[in-house]
Amino acid sequence: MWETAIKLSGRVYYGPTREFGYTADLPKATKLHEVRLTGLKPATTYCYRVRSGETESETYQFKTAPVPGTNRWRMAVYGDSRSNPAVHRLVAKQIARAKVDLIVHTGDIVADGRDHDSWRKEFFQPVEPFAHSVPWVSTIGNHERDSAHYFSYMALPGNERYFGFDYANAHIVCLDSNAWIEKGRDSEQFRWLEGDLSQQRETTWTFVAFHHALFSAHARRPVNSLRWDWAPLLLDPAHRVDGVLNGHDHFYARNWRMGRLSEQPQAGVLFLTSAGGGAGLYPSMSRPYVALQKSVHHFTLFDFDSDHVTVTPIDINGKEFDRYVLTKSPTPADELCAYEVEEMSHFLRQAVAVATPVRAAEGKATVINDRLRIPTRFRIPVCGELTWERVPGWKTKTPTAPFMLQPRQALEIPLEAEVAPGAYSKDPELTIAFKPGQFRNRTLSVSPFQLVGPTRLTIQKTVATGALDGKLSARAWERVTAHALLGIPGWGGRDERVQFLADDQWIYVAAKLGSTAAEHDQVRLVLNGGKVTHTFIVPRNAPRTAAADGGAKLTDSAWRAALASSKADWTAELAVPRSLFADWSQVRLDFVHRYNVAKEMRELHLCPSYTMGTDPDRIADWKAVPLPERWAQVSLE
Ligand SMILES: [Fe+2]
């Protein structure tokens, strides 16, 4: 293929020597010339030159594909070459130096596939060291934007989105994993893939390439939901997939081989991300299924040699920073990840997300007597142990318990505990540990207890509270209930309490709060009267503010607040006018202590409500959300 600035006809001179001897013509005038050369011998070097109008290229060389079955050859895999042409060029130089037979790009070739000029700057110029001599195959990335330019510049088999081809002794499949195409089990692509992988072949190796990793080493990216549809197909031993090649996450990550457990020893599938082709690097993280990850610009060399393939990533200085020998031999149990465990962690997360929260008892111990049922899809019996973390204020009934699962048997987790009244500093975490010797990813941990606050809040009447000094010095506070502030499961709470009182004019709130070392420390009283939510914010080190969502904001003189700090903790008192709402029986209330720990925001609530986040490493990664319908209904005495 070549491109001209104006429409011209095209001709290719080619042959085994610089004398050429053959020509192929494209008589139709066009800008983008795609000429098919036929009758070539395999594993043969040809010289060629192209001509359009009066312009002729230099003489270049290419080598045709090896004889089918050839077991010594080289492939370069790389991706995400977009956005930094200078770095892409350095990567391309290393690829050219490696003298590979074939290049497979894992997608995101350019920053915006719709921008015609970017193909010249980000693709054609940087790949100049190999573009005229090495065959190129790619999978489409999200940055190609499904653009017509991608399909016109690529000369790929089939529909150019998902296709398979044999090269030397390998079968290579490329897929489209982007949002714009149907990918589920009913989709055309899925059915095509199933059909392609089921075919009997003479080839030794099978690699499947697509842009978005199913088992990413990205530090923050949520699980790619495509995992649950595609991984079972790719991991099916009948499909003989050896490796899955991905891009999108700008680093190198080599996972432990993964498989579905069976009585037979197995090699498992290598999932590999090679996406350091030029784009800005991303933070990577060692998840249980990740063997080695490095955020570095690179390409990955696949050196095929009879019964093994040596996989070596090479950085822009030509330095190898990993070496892995891919074979068909069974992988030792402690190096093989069980897909069923990743699947189980997904089911565990779903079970926790729909579990009924536990209402914290007021002034007495909270007794929890519940269970979580986690489906599993193991095909062989597995066993292990459940262990509860010991934390102050919590008494779990069975601190450790063995478990044994028959194939497809659900894991029943007893949630039986007694929580001491008042505040508590942390939730107990449960560790599910499978016995050693069966697979590598042996442990899962979960913080399953979700405590919620009172549904009703009775505010006692007082004659006089005394001075509002922030020190909780008024005698009246000694007689009223102190409600614990509750934290997000996993982190849990701290020893913090809030109290309420009222007289004819004011609603009083007094809070005893924890550490003064936190940053962005503040308390918030939120009152929802149906349409209007009033928020009173009292930061420890900044002026107080009142905000109203859906109603008139209160002036500073209409409400009061006072703080007192000691070295270890701080206290706050607030007074808001009863005139704020005509009918207090319609009002719902929450009290929040918000602060930062290592730049991450934490919240303790009187009436917490949570939603599930996207962090695949924490079960469950609850995030606090304001849900007035879950706040305590106020009852004024
Ligand atoms: Fe991407």
Side-chain angles (χ1 to χ4, degrees), residues 80 108 142 211 248:
D80 299 74
D108 280 3
N142 51 309
H211 188 57
H248 196 53

Side-chain angles (χ1 to χ4, degrees), residues 430-503:
L430 173 71
T431 304
I432 305 168
F434 293 91
K435 91 166 195 226
Q438 281 186 300
F439 49 87
R440 182 174 179 89
N441 47 344
R442 289 197 303 112
T443 59
L444 287 176
S445 43
V446 54
S447 297
F449 294 112
Q450 189 193 157
L451 260 61
V452 290
T455 48
R456 241 190 145 69
L457 187 77
T458 305
I459 301 183
Q460 288 174 32
K461 198 150 181 203
T462 181
V463 183
T465 55
L468 189 82
D469 58 4
K471 293 177 187 160
L472 276 55
S473 58
R475 303 279 311 264
W477 292 122
E478 290 167 15
R479 298 192 316 268
V480 285
T481 310
H483 304 272
L485 295 183
L486 304 170
I488 285 179
W491 291 323
R494 307 198 299 195
D495 186 15
E496 305 199 348
R497 290 145 205 269
V498 63
Q499 294 170 284
F500 300 88
L501 274 171
D503 64 15

Side-chain angles (χ1 to χ4, degrees), residues 123-398:
F123 178 53
F124 292 110
Q125 289 175 352
V127 298
E128 188 271 332
F130 60 68
H132 45 70
S133 54
V134 190
W136 166 281
V137 174
S138 57
T139 68
I140 187 165
N142 51 309
H143 276 266
E144 270 67 73
R145 305 270 189 256
D146 206 19
S147 153
H149 295 313
Y150 175 79
F151 296 98
S152 61
Y153 280 141
M154 298 301 141
L156 299 169
N159 63 18
E160 299 195 307
R161 282 185 191 282
Y162 51 91
F163 53 85
F165 62 97
D166 292 348
Y167 192 92
N169 63 345
H171 180 63
I172 294 170
V173 175
C174 291
L175 301 173
D176 182 348
S177 60
N178 290 286
W180 53 66
I181 186 168
E182 288 278 335
K183 299 172 289 290
R185 290 167 198 234
D186 296 330
S187 65
E188 269 178 46
Q189 179 171 216
F190 188 91
R191 283 199 290 259
W192 173 86
L193 176 63
E194 218 170 9
D196 185 86
L197 294 177
S198 316
Q199 271 175 44
Q200 292 299 318
R201 286 198 172 78
E202 299 289 303
T203 47
T204 308
W205 303 97
T206 301
F207 290 94
V208 179
F210 51 92
H211 188 57
H212 303 83
L214 301 183
F215 299 93
S216 175
H218 194 285
R220 286 180 301 273
R221 221 191 266 293
V223 169
N224 178 358
S225 60
L226 198 51
R227 177 191 289 186
W228 313 119
D229 285 337
W230 284 13
L233 209 56
L234 301 170
L235 293 169
D236 187 338
H239 292 153
R240 299 168 56 231
V241 175
D242 300 289
V244 176
L245 315 172
N246 301 116
H248 196 53
D249 294 327
H250 305 166
F251 44 67
Y252 169 83
R254 172 170 59 80
N255 289 5
W256 297 102
R257 304 282 284 266
M258 187 179 278
R260 303 197 84 144
L261 300 179
S262 77
E263 299 293 358
Q264 306 304 320
Q266 58 179 311
V269 177
L270 171 70
F271 287 86
L272 186 105
T273 300
S274 185
L281 297 167
Y282 289 161
S284 60
M285 185 177 185
S286 186
R287 300 183 183 283
Y289 48 72
V290 179
L292 190 138
Q293 28 80 35
K294 200 167 179 195
S295 253
V296 61
H297 288 118
H298 74 283
F299 82 96
T300 307
L301 181 65
F302 282 65
D303 211 337
F304 291 78
D305 189 356
S306 53
D307 63 347
H308 64 276
V309 184
T310 307
V311 180
T312 320
I314 296 170
D315 72 13
I316 52 175
N317 301 312
K319 195 170 159 269
E320 299 180 358
F321 58 89
D322 183 24
R323 176 173 278 256
Y324 178 74
V325 180
L326 183 73
T327 69
K328 301 265 183 186
S329 315
T331 299
D334 61 349
E335 291 176 17
L336 182 79
C337 280
Y339 174 67
E340 290 87 345
V341 175
E342 301 308 316
E343 200 176 40
M344 187 176 160
S345 118
H346 181 55
F347 295 148
L348 184 54
R349 192 179 154 85
Q350 287 175 322
V352 173
V354 299
T356 315
V358 179
R359 179 123 353 249
E362 288 283 333
K364 55 175 183 175
T366 304
V367 177
I368 304 170
N369 193 355
D370 206 346
R371 60 182 44 233
L372 273 180
R373 194 172 178 278
I374 317 300
T376 76
R377 290 185 184 156
F378 290 102
R379 291 168 180 176
I380 57 167
V382 289
C383 58
E385 200 167 64
L386 303 176
T387 309
W388 288 99
E389 182 186 12
R390 287 172 190 278
V391 295
W394 285 78
K395 216 158 67 196
T396 42
K397 199 172 157 193
T398 323

